[in-house]
Amino acid sequence: LTVEVIEALALPSVDLLNGNVDPYVRATITGYDRDLRWSLRQWLSSKRYSINSRFCSSTLSPVWRGVGRKGGELLTLPVISTAGAVLRLEVLHYNVLTSSRGKDAVLGFVEIPLSDLPNANLRDPDGIAIRTSDGRRKNITFDGYVDRWYRLALKDEKNRNSITLSKPVALPDLMVKEKRRDRTVAWDSLEELGKKAQALCIAPVEWFAQAIKLDLPAKKPEAIYKGHESRSMIHVRIKLNASVLGDAISHSFVPPIRMLPLPPPYDPEILYARIVKVGKELKPIQRIQKYIDKCIKWKHEPKVCIRAYFIFAVHLAIFPQLLKIFHVYLFIFLGIQLKEMIAAREIENQQQMSFSTSDSLEGIQSSLSQDNCDTLQDEQEPNDDSLGLQDSPSLSHFNNQQNSNPVKHTQYAADSSSNDLVVGSPQNDINTKPKADDGKNEEVTKLNIAVSWIARRLGKNKRLEVLQFKLAFLARDLGRLNSIWNGKNPLWTRIAMIILVPSFILHLIFNQRILWLIGTFLWYFSMSPHLKIAARSFFGIWRGLAKVTRRQHLLDAEISESLL
């Protein structure tokens, strides 16, 4: 891949002293592809290639000079694969202090997919034969470069969780607009002198207004400033020289990414939490196992044990048809569970509706009470004596004891001037207990830290991070399996009931051994990464052929545009 960097326009400034920058371009070949878990990942750092151009000093509209056809600087990069490949162009500010560490400020970037570029190797080496106006035949050669203008995105516009691939834009107004014939170099020079003189006249006024703290209308409104930033563009010419066969089969290769994520580092607390979670998800199976164990050991009532043995004997007699009967049992069980889920959901909806209606009634009552507040204040409220109500003996006895012995009952009051509690009883007992609790908590935390450190040291390099990683997937799968029948996800319950119907029909038609062998084979190899890679290779060949055809169309479009 050859990139001719020509110029850039309207770069943002990061230098606060003179307002200019020293820009240079970094071209990088990278790419994005899907791993085996269908997550989008970037190419490995060892498979990316970068090259830098020379820097231009003190300018916001740099022009690079080199040996290119349009006078630009040529940058050549190797392309290991065209599948998902991206050309990233970054315009950076050269700084002597940060350049050695690779931390130069990014002024703008653009990511160009190589799928939008034609392949220069598909062109005819003899050129294109055309007829001139006088009827002669002439061969015109196409150099394979595509001339593009791209808009630069600012660094803060880039989101780490998203990828923005750029499309070429039209030529800027400065390049498209034709120069008027009546405008000469002298006229342009006079216009520039007028702008300089205007700036010299405005500068003292601005200084005086700033000294007396007087607000003046801004010369550059915020919208104009943002529009200036959005006008940052770069002009490049790109040429892709790729083998036709390599371009076709590169989509069937394993992409240069990490196909499976690395397991997280070993942590004894995380491992223990995942073991506990797996044990919690296995509790329903453990309850069934305990029930069967008690039936075998005759720890249940004799009626229950005799009934269980009778059911076991009946199913043992019809053992060849047990799988079909199991389908019927499971369908009925899931149907009952689904009915209970729907009933529970209806009850919850009714409760929510009742709560909402009660809240609305309370609002209406409060509004009515506020409206009739004046009339209710004039009326005398009936007391307990007028209604004939008296306190219960126990309550009166309790009140008498509390009034007679006020010191025995501890009273708490919040002091408005401080956050301390005003307590009637001595505060020694209350103050000593939290201190003891704090000491115990500190000892427990220290002990937990020590135990965690010892477990981390003992489990280091024991491959426990793989066990921790697989336990997470086991807990997830068990949780999904339990959600089919425990009411957490009615959708999964409906899907399971739908799947049971064709499974029952297949068990009636085909041989059960062959059916289970095929099912086990498909399940095992569908989970294998090798099958996914083989399927990717098979479909990648056809995708590569489609890409080659598309590149031919793009090349024809570029040639016709260059002729026009």
Side-chain angles (χ1 to χ4, degrees):
L1 182 72
T2 306
V3 182
E4 181 183 354
V5 184
I6 302 173
E7 61 177 330
L9 296 176
L11 295 178
S13 176
V14 294
D15 194 348
L16 301 178
L17 296 178
N18 56 8
N20 291 327
V21 293
D22 301 332
Y24 70 95
V25 176
R26 179 194 295 161
T28 306
I29 286 293
T30 181
Y32 302 94
D33 215 319
R34 302 278 180 179
D35 60 359
L36 295 180
R37 301 195 184 280
W38 204 248
S39 299
L40 194 62
R41 299 189 179 275
Q42 194 175 2
W43 284 7
L44 298 173
S45 58
S46 59
K47 303 299 181 181
R48 306 175 203 164
Y49 298 95
S50 299
I51 188 171
N52 296 338
S53 69
R54 293 187 293 269
F55 71 92
C56 302
S57 59
S58 300
T59 179
L60 295 179
S61 297
V63 177
W64 288 271
R65 295 303 180 189
V67 296
R69 186 173 179 180
K70 287 195 173 184
E73 185 177 352
L74 295 180
L75 305 176
T76 304
L77 293 164
V79 181
I80 60 172
S81 174
T82 57
V86 171
L87 171 63
R88 180 186 299 157
L89 298 176
E90 295 174 300
V91 182
L92 300 100
H93 169 57
Y94 178 76
N95 192 340
V96 180
L97 300 177
T98 60
S99 178
S100 59
R101 295 178 293 171
K103 295 183 178 180
D104 286 342
V106 178
L107 305 176
F109 72 96
V110 60
E111 292 185 344
I112 307 165
L114 296 192
S115 58
D116 292 344
L117 302 177
N119 190 1
N121 287 339
L122 295 175
R123 56 184 173 162
D124 191 356
D126 298 332
I128 304 168
I130 62 171
R131 291 188 179 274
T132 59
S133 58
D134 54 357
R136 294 181 181 181
R137 189 167 182 174
K138 183 180 179 181
N139 289 337
I140 297 178
T141 58
F142 177 65
D143 59 353
Y145 283 89
V146 291
D147 200 318
R148 294 283 189 268
W149 281 89
Y150 290 98
R151 195 172 299 281
L152 293 174
L154 300 179
K155 187 179 179 181
D156 54 359
E157 295 178 2
K158 184 175 181 181
N159 188 2
R160 293 182 179 179
N161 298 326
S162 63
I163 300 168
T164 305
L165 301 180
S166 301
K167 294 289 184 182
V169 296
L171 297 178
D173 296 335
L174 296 176
M175 304 296 295
V176 176
K177 184 175 64 177
E178 297 181 357
K179 293 184 178 181
R180 294 173 53 184
R181 295 182 180 180
D182 55 348
R183 293 181 66 91
T184 59
V185 178
W187 183 267
D188 293 338
S189 301
L190 288 174
E191 188 176 0
E192 290 295 329
L193 289 174
K195 291 181 180 179
K196 295 290 184 181
Q198 184 181 6
L200 289 174
C201 296
I202 293 176
V205 178
E206 289 181 348
W207 177 82
F208 181 74
Q210 187 178 3
I212 63 175
K213 296 182 180 180
L214 180 65
D215 293 333
L216 290 178
K219 291 190 302 181
K220 290 184 178 181
E222 190 67 21
I224 299 176
Y225 179 71
K226 290 184 178 179
H228 173 75
E229 286 187 342
S230 65
R231 287 197 298 270
S232 299
M233 302 174 70
I234 187 169
H235 184 201
V236 292
R237 296 177 75 238
I238 308 172
K239 180 182 180 181
L240 176 64
N241 288 319
S243 171
V244 180
L245 180 61
D247 190 15
I249 65 176
S250 64
H251 294 78
S252 61
F253 293 157
V254 179
I257 62 172
R258 191 175 299 280
M259 300 302 291
L260 289 173
L262 288 174
Y266 165 67
D267 192 345
E269 296 180 2
I270 296 176
L271 180 61
Y272 176 74
R274 289 180 178 174
I275 291 173
V276 171
K277 188 175 182 180
V278 170
K280 191 180 295 183
E281 297 293 342
L282 289 174
K283 279 186 178 180
I285 302 175
Q286 293 175 358
R287 286 198 293 267
I288 296 173
Q289 182 183 359
K290 288 180 181 179
Y291 182 82
I292 295 174
D293 187 37
K294 288 182 179 180
C295 288
I296 293 173
K297 295 178 180 180
W298 289 83
K299 291 185 178 180
H300 285 294
E301 295 181 0
K303 294 181 179 180
V304 176
C305 296
I306 292 171
R307 191 182 304 162
Y309 273 101
F310 176 74
I311 293 172
F312 176 74
V314 171
H315 286 82
L316 190 62
I318 56 173
F319 184 76
Q321 309 296 329
L322 188 60
L323 285 175
K324 302 171 186 175
I325 298 174
F326 178 74
H327 279 75
V328 178
Y329 288 165
L330 191 58
F331 189 86
I332 295 172
F333 172 72
L334 293 178
I336 295 172
Q337 292 295 115
L338 183 62
K339 186 177 179 180
E340 293 179 357
M341 294 177 199
I342 295 172
R345 291 287 178 89
E346 291 179 354
I347 292 173
E348 290 179 359
N349 294 333
Q350 291 177 0
Q351 290 178 353
Q352 291 178 358
M353 291 178 64
S354 63
F355 290 154
S356 61
T357 52
S358 62
D359 293 339
S360 61
L361 289 174
E362 288 178 359
I364 295 171
Q365 290 177 359
S366 62
S367 61
L368 291 174
S369 61
Q370 290 176 359
D371 294 338
N372 300 327
C373 182
D374 299 333
T375 57
L376 291 175
Q377 287 179 355
D378 298 335
E379 296 178 0
Q380 183 180 2
E381 294 183 357
N383 53 11
D384 295 340
D385 297 334
S386 62
L387 295 175
L389 298 176
Q390 297 178 358
D391 292 336
S392 62
S394 59
L395 183 61
S396 60
H397 179 66
F398 177 76
N399 293 331
N400 293 330
Q401 283 184 351
Q402 189 174 9
N403 294 328
S404 61
N405 299 321
V407 181
K408 292 183 181 179
H409 301 279
T410 305
Q411 298 175 359
Y412 296 88
D415 191 1
S416 59
S417 61
S418 64
N419 294 327
D420 299 333
L421 291 176
V422 180
V423 184
S425 63
Q427 299 179 1
N428 296 329
D429 298 337
I430 299 174
N431 293 331
T432 53
K433 288 182 181 179
K435 291 183 179 178
D437 294 339
D438 293 340
K440 289 182 180 179
N441 292 333
E442 290 180 0
E443 292 177 358
V444 169
T445 34
K446 290 180 180 178
L447 182 62
N448 290 337
I449 293 171
V451 170
S452 177
W453 182 83
I454 294 171
R456 192 177 287 106
R457 294 286 295 179
L458 293 176
K460 191 176 181 180
N461 297 328
K462 299 293 192 304
R463 303 292 295 173
L464 290 178
E465 65 273 3
V466 180
L467 176 63
Q468 174 181 308
F469 185 66
K470 292 185 176 180
L471 280 176
F473 288 100
L474 179 61
R476 183 199 65 183
D477 295 338
L478 289 175
R480 290 178 179 177
L481 184 63
N482 290 335
S483 65
I484 295 176
W485 60 269
N486 60 6
K488 290 184 178 180
N489 197 340
L491 179 62
W492 284 98
T493 307
R494 292 187 176 93
I495 293 173
M497 294 178 67
I498 293 171
I499 293 174
L500 282 174
V501 176
S503 176
F504 179 73
I505 296 172
L506 290 175
H507 278 79
L508 289 177
I509 297 174
F510 298 102
N511 189 358
Q512 296 180 5
R513 294 181 180 178
I514 298 175
L515 193 64
W516 276 80
L517 284 174
I518 294 173
T520 307
F521 178 83
L522 292 176
W523 176 81
Y524 178 77
F525 285 99
S526 63
M527 301 297 292
S528 174
H530 301 289
L531 182 64
K532 295 180 181 179
I533 294 174
R536 176 189 176 90
S537 301
F538 175 76
F539 292 107
I541 294 174
W542 304 104
R543 184 183 175 190
L545 294 175
K547 289 287 184 181
V548 171
T549 307
R550 185 173 183 270
R551 291 189 194 279
Q552 184 64 53
H553 293 325
L554 290 174
L555 181 64
D556 296 339
E558 287 292 334
I559 292 173
S560 61
E561 185 178 353
S562 63
L563 293 177
L564 293 176

